[in-house]
Amino acid sequence: MGRIGFTYPDCPLSERHRLDVGDEHVLNVELSGAASGLPIIFCHGGPGGSIAGETRRYGNPARVRLIQFDQRGCGLSSPAGETRANTLQDTIADMERIRTSLAMDRWVVAGGSWGATVALAYAQAHPDRTRGVIVRGAFLGDRRGFDWFDRTMREIFPDAFQEFAEATGAAPDESVYKAAARHINGADKQAARRAALALTLYEERCSSLTQPEILPDLDPDDCVHGIRIALHYRRHLGFLEDGVLPGMDRLADTPGHIVHGRYDVVCPFGNAVRLRAAWPTAELVLCPTAGHLGTEPEIAGAMTDAFEKAKDW
């Protein structure tokens, strides 16, 4: 099957599973592509995001078996927005449950944004099960990254922050997480929906190099669930003491691709440079006129190329 532009045509789902992982959590797991193809598990962003259908266009459906899952409390997994028994270490254990349930020995691990943190943390915990790692728009799971999103990003998109502030009552120097949490954790459900929608839209507006005039049609209750997870992980600094960089020596022999947009404002390009310095076996692919989104043509094309090259790992 030939590629359309930078990517392949959308590949329909071939399987959907509900996987009980304990602690009352049940994961939504989706598979697409060739049953005998190269297994690639893709970790979604957030924290608090969900499976992105456009990821199915990165892999050749005749050669790749793509596995996607909604992390605990996210997307179609249940209970929605649940923060109990919800840590990065739980997610890593869930990925192992998915792997064994699918009778896979080794796979390629991939992810974007927060999903890059998840992918790298899994690979560090299970290098023997990891053929290679593909990340894009890498978030490194450290305080520096959380603080960048929390406060520094507004200096580049002050207009987007002003809209967030008007919706939440955030002070000019107030943490966006603190402003959102004040409503998310309050008794007023309508205020919680407004705050969650405002923070979600703020991130969307900062994610693209060319801000889209039409933003996604977002469900406020879904936003509440997602932002509740995001606040939980921010409060615990991603359940990583110093992010993923200190553990990169465990991937000294693991091949990888780092795809990053030059004008990524959510996760700045410096993240990719620092990651590459700690991971010499990885190839760094700079997308010179792209931002953060995995749907931007340069990034989608680079991810498709990375999926192609992974067959040699």
Side-chain angles (χ1 to χ4, degrees), residues 3-309:
R3 288 163 62 178
I4 295 178
F6 289 95
T7 60
Y8 288 95
D10 185 25
C11 178
L13 290 182
S14 56
E15 300 175 48
R16 173 176 277 151
H17 303 285
R18 302 288 294 174
L19 182 63
D20 189 334
V21 294
D23 303 312
E24 301 183 359
H25 285 278
V26 180
L27 302 186
N28 174 56
V29 182
E30 300 182 0
L31 284 78
S32 57
S36 60
L38 172 68
I40 300 179
I41 183 166
F42 195 92
C43 307
H44 68 68
S50 60
I51 289 171
E54 56 266 20
T55 303
R56 296 197 299 267
R57 300 184 64 172
Y58 293 161
N60 184 336
R63 296 182 182 176
V64 168
R65 189 182 196 194
L66 180 65
I67 305 103
Q68 296 189 87
F69 69 106
D70 288 318
Q71 295 161 32
R72 294 190 180 202
C74 299
L76 297 178
S77 291
S78 59
E82 181 58 68
T83 59
R84 290 176 297 178
N86 192 336
T87 69
L88 176 61
Q89 291 70 35
D90 288 320
T91 301
I92 292 170
D94 290 345
M95 292 170 69
E96 273 295 275
R97 293 185 182 97
I98 293 170
R99 185 187 61 78
T100 56
S101 74
L102 297 174
M104 294 177 176
D105 181 45
R106 298 170 71 234
W107 53 8
V108 174
V109 185
S113 197
W114 163 254
T117 307
V118 176
L120 290 165
Y122 171 89
Q124 291 172 10
H126 299 284
D128 56 325
R129 299 300 181 185
T130 304
R131 295 176 58 155
V133 184
I134 302 169
V135 298
R136 69 134 190 97
F139 183 76
L140 302 180
D142 54 8
R143 182 182 293 276
R144 178 176 178 173
F146 280 111
D147 287 348
W148 170 277
F149 177 86
D150 194 6
R151 295 184 180 276
T152 314
M153 193 166 71
R154 71 185 66 176
E155 299 299 323
I156 303 172
F157 284 97
D159 47 345
F161 175 76
Q162 182 59 34
E163 291 183 31
F164 168 78
E166 289 173 357
T168 61
D173 60 347
E174 185 178 17
S175 157
V176 295
Y177 293 108
K178 183 178 179 180
R182 188 168 57 245
H183 301 288
I184 295 292
N185 298 324
D188 187 335
K189 291 185 177 180
Q190 289 303 320
R193 292 186 181 105
R194 285 195 299 271
L197 186 61
L199 185 52
T200 304
L201 287 172
Y202 172 60
E203 182 172 1
E204 289 284 345
R205 288 192 168 97
C206 296
S207 292
S208 177
L209 179 58
T210 55
Q211 294 185 66
E213 293 183 6
I214 301 175
L215 288 164
D217 185 15
L218 300 169
D219 182 296
D221 289 323
D222 288 344
C223 291
V224 169
H225 297 148
I227 297 303
R228 183 170 288 125
I229 299 293
L231 294 173
H232 170 66
Y233 273 79
R234 172 62 177 93
R235 186 163 58 251
H236 295 280
L237 290 178
F239 297 92
L240 284 167
E241 194 167 327
D242 298 303
V244 294
L245 289 184
M248 290 308 298
D249 59 319
R250 298 172 201 157
L251 302 184
D253 300 319
T254 303
H257 285 278
I258 305 166
V259 174
H260 215 103
R262 164 72 75 185
Y263 298 103
D264 188 333
V265 174
V266 176
C267 297
F269 179 52
N271 288 4
V273 174
R274 290 191 289 140
L275 179 59
R276 175 61 179 79
W279 189 16
T281 52
E283 177 184 355
L284 174 56
V285 181
L286 171 63
C287 300
T289 61
H292 184 66
L293 295 181
T295 53
E296 294 186 60
E298 284 183 357
I299 292 178
M303 289 296 289
T304 302
D305 289 340
F307 273 43
E308 295 279 348
K309 293 178 181 178

